[in-house]
Amino acid sequence: MNRDFFLQPTLVVARQLLGCVLTSRNNEGETAGQIVETEAYLGSNDPASHSHRGLTKRNQAMFGQPGTIYVYFTYGMHLCLNLVTGSPGVGEAVLIRALEPLQGLSLMRHRRRREDIHDLCSGPAKLAQALGITLADNSVSLNEDRFSLKLGEVQSSQKIITAPRIGIRQAEKLPYRFYYANNSFVSK
DNA sequence: GGAATGATGTACT
DNA sequence: GTACATCATTCCG
């Protein structure tokens, strides 16, 4: 995946990430899925974004180079995966909200302690668990052995829905969420 | 509908 | 340094 891809405006990247295949590798094995749902988080003008009030120790990955991974811990128990996007240093990222599992299904089931394929990656913290993501992945570049991202086949038949983001209390009406219509692997 | 669960940020002293 | 509210969620009842 080209760095120029992540340099595009964040709302463009969020939409174009749909259909891309994200692969995660570690000593347990390899897992992969097609991205079917994303949310964009912008910079200082987006009250729902972690970067809204500027750089902190927690969100510093968001201010790194486009293509950097931003992992954060929330609700006392969950991790979520983002890809840094847009102009460098502005603090924008795309939250990966759901994947359609493609590879390493048994490993995903083991990590999630769930059997149903529709309950493996249908939410941001679920997919982080299914891919074996930890806080050690925060701030690393996407193009290392640990992760890779490649464009999927052109999904011209898939209709993309634009809708408000989920689970936020600030700027809750902004239409920064993107997902494939009629796809059963989108979050609920 | 509501609990779980703890790091983080902010506003104080 | 201390206190307190908040939280880009998930799971169970």
Side-chain angles (χ1 to χ4, degrees):
Chain A
M1 182 61 68
N2 196 316
R3 164 191 156 87
D4 290 342
F5 176 82
F6 297 104
L7 271 168
Q8 298 177 96
T10 294
L11 290 170
V12 172
V13 180
R15 175 176 284 262
Q16 293 192 2
L17 277 170
L18 298 179
C20 293
V21 175
L22 177 65
T23 303
S24 164
R25 302 174 200 85
N26 66 8
N27 57 3
E28 294 181 305
E30 186 167 303
T31 49
Q34 177 182 238
I35 297 171
V36 298
E37 180 181 357
T38 64
E39 281 178 1
Y41 286 88
L42 276 42
S44 54
N45 290 328
D46 180 2
S49 176
H50 289 173
S51 63
H52 175 230
R53 295 175 186 274
L55 193 151
T56 67
K57 185 175 180 181
R58 178 203 202 194
N59 68 18
Q60 61 179 341
M62 289 185 80
F63 293 88
Q65 286 301 304
T68 298
I69 288 175
Y70 169 45
V71 178
Y72 66 86
F73 179 78
T74 192
Y75 289 105
M77 58 185 105
H78 298 303
L79 295 172
C80 295
L81 170 70
N82 301 254
L83 303 177
V84 176
T85 54
S87 301
V90 175
E92 300 185 343
V94 174
L95 172 70
I96 310 301
R97 283 198 59 90
L99 304 176
E100 176 173 343
L102 295 178
Q103 187 182 351
L105 278 284
S106 60
L107 181 52
M108 288 186 182
R109 288 187 167 105
H110 172 72
R111 287 168 172 161
R112 288 275 303 135
R113 300 164 205 262
R114 290 287 186 282
E115 290 299 318
D116 185 354
I117 192 173
H118 288 102
D119 204 15
L120 297 178
C121 299
S122 56
K126 293 181 187 179
L127 73 88
Q129 185 179 22
L131 296 184
I133 284 165
T134 71
L135 274 179
D137 297 315
N138 188 41
S139 288
V140 308
S141 169
L142 182 64
N143 285 317
E144 296 184 7
D145 294 340
R146 175 87 176 85
F147 297 102
S148 61
L149 181 73
K150 66 178 179 185
L151 287 173
E153 296 163 21
V154 177
Q155 307 283 327
S156 56
S157 62
Q158 292 264 29
K159 182 181 178 183
I160 295 175
I161 305 291
T162 303
R165 296 173 290 189
I166 292 180
I168 56 173
R169 297 165 62 139
Q170 301 291 324
E172 66 175 33
K173 298 181 71 171
L174 291 177
Y176 291 173
R177 174 181 177 229
F178 305 93
Y179 62 97
Y180 280 146
N182 306 314
N183 185 296
S184 64
F185 296 96
V186 167
S187 72
K188 292 144 189 91

